[in-house]
Amino acid sequence: MRLREQPLIDAAEIERRVSELAQQISSDYTGREILLVAVLKGSILFTADLMRRLTTPVVLEFLRARSYQDTESTGHVECTLFPEHALKDQHVLLVEDILDTGRTASVIIEKIRQAQPASVALCTLLDKPSRRVVPVEADYVGFTIEDRFVVGYGLDYSERGRELPSLFVLDNDEQN
Ligand code: IMP
Ligand code: MG
């Protein structure tokens, strides 16, 4: 895996933005408990940093989604871990690493709605709106980025690079 030398977004910038998001979320959810649903694996660092800065009480659950890309590029998404019984009447805040085509988030949100929560909102560290295929909008966005493949701070390239504290762009010649 070859990454650009200079981070796209460095650790200090991530920390500042996560603090801002936490402040905004805490204020929006004042007096309510948040059921944070972290989407594995990519959102774990973001979720950990975000939740320790929230001033509202939280309950944490995990969800795992797998996407299959077929030849017509109609991705099929399946949840392999789903907190079925935890969601009813709760204020669910879904925490994603990145909103790309929007396929994963749209399937997850629909599945969460079926479990009858009191509310559902989406918080994503990164948003690549130019890649959207399914119309999904996040309620909270850390950074809006161009169509680049990014690695670090939980995001992987073939399971590598999640441990990096900053976000890096993958060098193009390795992407395909
Ligand atoms: P979707 O296309 O919005 O369904 O995004 C599905 C998943 O693709 C995300 O949750 C990420 O795991 C992965 N993904 C999309 N773009 C990137 C990227 O730039 N770096 C790392 N993973 C990505
Ligand atoms: Mg991934």
Side-chain angles (χ1 to χ4, degrees):
M1 176 172 66
R2 269 235 319 269
L3 303 174
R4 301 258 171 89
E5 214 165 300
Q6 290 304 314
L8 178 69
I9 305 167
D10 70 24
E13 211 177 329
I14 294 172
E15 194 184 329
R16 271 197 304 277
R17 186 66 187 128
V18 172
S19 292
E20 285 175 5
L21 284 176
Q23 263 179 36
Q24 196 190 335
I25 292 167
S26 299
S27 130
D28 291 352
Y29 284 84
T30 302
R32 287 180 287 173
E33 181 183 79
I34 304 173
L35 178 61
L36 281 182
V37 177
V39 182
L40 295 173
K41 305 175 188 171
S43 77
I44 64 151
L45 296 194
F46 179 39
T47 302
D49 286 344
L50 184 70
M51 70 185 282
R52 81 184 89 198
R53 291 181 175 88
L54 292 173
T55 55
T56 42
V58 304
V59 170
L60 177 65
E61 292 287 344
F62 294 104
L63 182 155
R64 180 103 204 251
R66 194 185 289 170
S67 52
Y68 302 90
Q69 197 80 35
D70 66 25
T71 45
E72 288 150 32
S73 82
T74 54
H76 175 75
V77 178
E78 187 188 75
C79 288
T80 55
L81 174 68
F82 192 77
E84 194 81 53
H85 303 292
L87 303 174
K88 195 165 179 347
D89 302 325
Q90 302 303 304
H91 293 288
V92 174
L93 181 60
L94 194 61
V95 186
E96 271 271 26
D97 54 354
I98 187 164
L99 207 48
D100 189 38
T101 64
R103 287 194 182 102
T104 310
S106 72
V107 169
I108 291 173
I109 289 167
E110 188 44 46
K111 208 162 181 258
I112 287 175
R113 288 224 167 94
Q114 286 169 12
Q116 301 181 314
S119 66
V120 187
L122 172 62
C123 175
T124 187
L125 174 70
L126 301 170
D127 188 9
K128 283 196 235 179
S130 64
R131 292 263 306 162
R132 205 75 93 249
V133 173
V134 180
V136 185
E137 262 187 65
D139 302 274
Y140 306 95
V141 176
F143 303 93
T144 299
I145 61 168
E146 312 267 286
D147 182 11
R148 301 274 156 70
F149 197 90
V150 291
V151 175
Y153 196 64
L155 289 95
D156 72 304
Y157 173 63
S158 294
E159 296 301 327
R160 302 300 189 279
R162 296 192 197 273
E163 73 279 19
L164 300 168
S166 299
L167 283 155
F168 294 87
V169 172
L170 189 73
D171 250 2
N172 279 336
D173 52 1
E174 271 226 36
Q175 193 174 343
N176 297 307

